Amino acid sequence: MSLKYKDNKLTPMESVKRTKSNYKAIMTSLKRAICISTLQMDWKACIEHFKMKNSSIVSSIVLEAFYRMEDLKYLYFVTFLVLYMLLLFANAIVIFVIIINKVLHNPMNYFLCNLAVNGIYGGTALLPPLLGTLMSPSHEVSLACCKAQIYFLHTYAIIEFTILSVMCYDRYVAICYPLQYHSIMTITKVYKLIAFSWGYPLVIFAVFFIMTLRLTICQNRLGRVYCLNFYLVKMSCGNTYIESIMGLLFLVVYSFPQLAMTFYSYGHILKICFTATKESKIKALKTCTPHLFAILNYSVGCFFEIVQSRFDTSYLSFETQMFMSLYFLIFPPILNPAIYGMSVKTLRANIFKLVCSKKIKKVIVFKVGSLEHK
């Protein structure tokens, strides 16, 4: 038995219990008063109201688009897995070839190597979670994982755009100042441009994303196969007018430097081409063609995403909608190595050399093994 204090005073434990009991009674009376005076409800309806309010804070997001993939989910799984393996292989080959061949150690190939790294970064942020959620019975992801994916996918998109704009500047220097190219594009400057390509998007989007992290999410159903900031903001509880305005402002902030660099570079390249000889024009066109294809490919993907997120595309088939939403995340990282690998002569030669040497080694090993077996 617990001892009582003198003069029939309660023990500390009993005092705490009574305090908790009194607190609960006060809160219950307060809720009852609010329901009767403000919400005009009886007590039973009031209890349901407070239950609904408490359950509005979600901890997971259901990606409803996966339910429409149920009938062919194994086919989708194999397709996305093959695309991911192709993405990894194509970009890893480019990175490996550029690293091991000193002849390829120049500014343009350093930027191309970073483009390949970013392709792996974006593809890994999308496809492994997509494959896991596709095979999950509930097609549900935690709110924390959803927010992490938003950060990774948005920074991938901005980094891709930034690297492409830096490559524009490199082409501008190579065409407009060919004799001074190596003195302008020093290794120190290349490192600074690479640091800017990654640092600026990672920091600037983090500053904006803090606003989304502070929102209370009330809805837990999203009609996509991955999370995006625009949709998560729409799923929050309160008025998101300020967040929408800030989103447009930040879109300008993290797009303007890249757009300015791209238009400035190609404006000067066109100006040079108008006054150059026919041979110089052909050389400039060959130099810029793979980069123009890469920009066009990525721009088409971004256009698809903007159209689908801002306009009603319900009249399109589900497959078309999914293709449009996934294009800028999957196809640029797969096609960029092909575009540059086939267009840049030195890179193409080294890739073929690597692949052919591996094939020859396999044939030799196979023949030696078969002879030993005999």
Side-chain angles (χ1 to χ4, degrees), residues 241-286:
Y241 177 77
I242 294 174
E243 284 75 15
S244 299
I245 296 298
M246 292 300 294
L248 291 173
L249 178 63
F250 269 87
L251 181 64
V252 173
V253 169
Y254 56 66
S255 300
F256 179 76
Q258 296 91 324
L259 287 171
M261 191 180 291
T262 301
F263 285 120
Y264 177 84
S265 299
Y266 274 108
H268 279 270
I269 289 171
L270 285 172
K271 187 178 177 181
I272 290 292
C273 288
F274 283 132
T275 58
T277 62
K278 187 177 179 180
E279 290 181 359
S280 298
K281 287 178 182 179
I282 293 171
K283 188 176 180 181
L285 185 62
K286 285 182 178 179

Side-chain angles (χ1 to χ4, degrees), residues 154-179:
H154 281 75
T155 50
Y156 151 78
I158 306 169
I159 291 167
E160 186 86 356
F161 189 28
T162 309
I163 294 174
L164 288 172
S165 66
V166 167
M167 292 170 83
C168 275
Y169 174 73
D170 177 76
R171 294 301 83 199
Y172 155 70
V173 175
I175 293 169
C176 298
Y177 302 97
L179 299 178

Side-chain angles (χ1 to χ4, degrees), residues 30-43 46:
L30 184 61
K31 288 178 181 180
R32 187 191 294 270
I34 292 170
C35 287
I36 294 171
S37 62
T38 307
L39 301 177
Q40 303 294 320
M41 297 179 180
D42 59 21
W43 182 233
C46 189

Side-chain angles (χ1 to χ4, degrees), residues 55 211 266 295 372 374:
S55 64
M211 296 182 66
Y266 274 108
I295 289 180
E372 288 178 353
K374 287 179 181 180

Side-chain angles (χ1 to χ4, degrees), residues 39 44 47 51 78 139 152 159 176 197 218 245 276 280 301 306 317 343 345 361 368:
L39 301 177
K44 288 184 178 180
I47 291 172
K51 282 182 179 178
V78 172
H139 304 308
F152 295 142
I159 291 167
C176 298
S197 300
C218 289
I245 296 298
S280 298
I306 290 169
S317 66
S343 302
K345 187 177 179 180
K361 284 179 182 178
V368 170

Side-chain angles (χ1 to χ4, degrees), residues 321-341:
Q321 291 180 48
M322 188 168 63
F323 174 80
M324 289 174 66
S325 67
L326 292 173
Y327 187 95
F328 85 105
L329 294 167
I330 295 178
F331 289 97
I334 291 175
L335 294 177
N336 283 342
I339 291 169
Y340 281 95

Side-chain angles (χ1 to χ4, degrees), residues 23 41 44 47 72 105 111 125 128 131 134-135 150 166 168 189 198 206 310 346 357:
Y23 174 77
M41 297 179 180
K44 288 184 178 180
I47 291 172
L72 299 170
H105 290 185
F111 299 138
L131 292 170
L134 176 62
M135 301 308 293
I150 287 171
V166 167
C168 275
K189 191 167 189 176
W198 287 86
R310 303 291 173 174
T346 52
S357 65

Side-chain angles (χ1 to χ4, degrees), residues 9-247:
K9 288 184 178 179
L10 297 174
T11 62
M13 186 63 69
E14 289 174 339
S15 178
V16 170
K17 287 180 180 179
R18 178 166 290 187
T19 302
K20 286 182 178 180
S21 178
N22 292 338
Y23 174 77
K24 287 180 181 178
I26 292 168
M27 291 305 296
T28 302
S29 301
L30 184 61
K31 288 178 181 180
R32 187 191 294 270
I34 292 170
C35 287
I36 294 171
S37 62
T38 307
L39 301 177
Q40 303 294 320
M41 297 179 180
D42 59 21
W43 182 233
K44 288 184 178 180
C46 189
I47 291 172
E48 292 300 320
H49 170 77
F50 278 103
K51 282 182 179 178
M52 287 178 65
K53 189 173 181 181
N54 290 334
S55 64
S56 67
I57 310 301
V58 301
S59 60
S60 61
I61 304 293
V62 178
L63 301 175
E64 292 183 321
F66 285 106
Y67 287 110
R68 302 176 68 179
M69 301 164 67
E70 276 292 327
D71 294 338
L72 299 170
K73 74 174 182 179
Y74 293 106
L75 177 61
Y76 281 118
F77 182 86
V78 172
T79 302
F80 287 129
L81 182 61
V82 169
L83 286 172
Y84 184 51
M85 293 295 105
L86 183 60
L87 185 151
L88 290 177
F89 175 76
N91 287 283
I93 282 287
V94 169
I95 294 167
F96 182 71
V97 167
I98 290 173
I99 289 174
I100 65 171
N101 290 282
K102 289 186 177 181
V103 70
L104 296 174
H105 290 185
N106 58 59
M108 188 62 181
N109 287 325
Y110 287 143
F111 299 138
L112 179 57
C113 191
N114 275 269
L115 198 67
V117 171
N118 188 53
I120 294 173
Y121 169 68
T124 303
L126 172 71
L127 288 168
L130 188 150
L131 292 170
T133 311
L134 176 62
M135 301 308 293
S136 168
S138 62
H139 304 308
E140 193 173 358
V141 295
S142 69
L143 184 59
C145 288
C146 185
K147 290 177 178 178
Q149 188 180 54
I150 287 171
Y151 181 78
F152 295 142
L153 292 182
H154 281 75
T155 50
Y156 151 78
I158 306 169
I159 291 167
E160 186 86 356
F161 189 28
T162 309
I163 294 174
L164 288 172
S165 66
V166 167
M167 292 170 83
C168 275
Y169 174 73
D170 177 76
R171 294 301 83 199
Y172 155 70
V173 175
I175 293 169
C176 298
Y177 302 97
L179 299 178
Q180 295 89 10
Y181 177 76
H182 291 290
S183 60
I184 295 172
M185 296 298 293
T186 61
I187 193 65
T188 304
K189 191 167 189 176
V190 169
Y191 288 155
K192 286 179 180 179
L193 288 170
I194 291 171
F196 171 79
S197 300
W198 287 86
Y200 181 75
L202 291 172
V203 172
I204 200 69
F205 185 75
V207 172
F208 167 69
F209 195 47
I210 290 171
M211 296 182 66
T212 301
L213 296 177
R214 296 177 65 182
L215 293 175
T216 303
I217 309 302
C218 289
Q219 302 173 48
N220 72 332
R221 294 191 172 272
L222 178 60
R224 302 293 292 263
V225 293
Y226 57 89
C227 297
L228 279 177
N229 188 70
F230 175 75
Y231 295 100
L232 192 65
V233 170
K234 287 174 68 176
M235 293 161 63
S236 62
C237 301
N239 190 339
T240 58
Y241 177 77
I242 294 174
E243 284 75 15
S244 299
I245 296 298
M246 292 300 294

